[in-house]
Amino acid sequence: ILNYLADTFPESKLGGDGSPKGRAEVNRWLSFFNADVHPTFHPLFGSTGYLGDDKAAIEKTKDAAREKLRGSFERANQPLDGRDWLTGSRSIADPYLYVVLRWAKALKVDLSGLDTGPQVVSYIVGALFAGPAPAQLPANGQPATAQPAVTPKP
């Protein structure tokens, strides 16, 4: 859906800077979040049924997921050092980072040391949704109201 939005609203330049290289950079980050980061949350969301009632194994699996996520966020932190957006300008990859960072914070992934400066955790606070959006996202992560972020074209 993110590429669809970028293509439907090309004036937004959310699909990159208009060059093939820019689009590839955006898609590289989308692929990273989709293939590496998102699935790593599965044990933290409760998909540990295959472990039965072994609470120690479940906690070990969750700890391993948190550790892997920490490494993934360290990787995402690198391009944010000295800039506000993953690809250098706002793109469709940035909302995905925002979502997985909210999950990480809620599920107690260790993001210490990544929470200063313009990097990852501080990214949640202001870089992505400057303006009214943060007020619409209460602490529980559920939107206060359902409002479309983009007005669809007829």
Side-chain angles (χ1 to χ4, degrees):
I1 188 82
L2 294 173
N3 277 308
Y4 170 79
L5 290 172
D7 291 344
T8 302
F9 303 96
E11 67 280 2
S12 69
K13 299 205 181 288
L14 292 175
D17 62 11
S19 71
K21 182 178 179 182
R23 185 59 171 247
E25 180 69 5
V26 169
N27 283 328
R28 177 178 78 94
W29 282 108
L30 289 176
S31 296
F32 171 68
F33 295 130
N34 188 52
D36 295 352
V37 177
H38 195 145
T40 306
F41 278 98
H42 289 181
L44 301 175
F45 285 139
S47 62
T48 54
Y50 65 94
L51 296 170
D53 292 329
D54 187 343
K55 292 186 189 304
I58 291 169
E59 285 310 308
K60 187 175 181 179
T61 301
K62 288 181 177 183
D63 289 343
R66 285 186 183 98
E67 186 175 325
K68 185 174 179 183
L69 285 164
R70 168 64 190 211
S72 294
F73 289 119
E74 287 173 354
R75 182 174 169 192
N77 194 50
Q78 293 170 359
L80 288 170
D81 191 12
R83 62 184 189 184
D84 293 332
W85 310 104
L86 283 169
T87 64
S89 62
R90 192 174 192 169
S91 76
I92 55 176
D94 297 298
Y96 208 159
L97 174 59
Y98 177 81
V99 168
V100 295
L101 280 170
R102 284 183 57 85
W103 292 350
K105 190 173 181 183
L107 296 167
K108 300 186 180 6
V109 173
D110 176 18
L111 299 173
S112 61
L114 302 176
D115 56 357
T116 59
Q119 293 88 3
V120 173
V121 175
S122 60
Y123 185 87
I124 293 174
V125 177
L128 183 58
F129 291 113
Q136 296 173 3
L137 294 168
N140 68 3
Q142 299 300 315
T145 59
Q147 297 176 356
V150 176
T151 305
K153 288 184 178 179

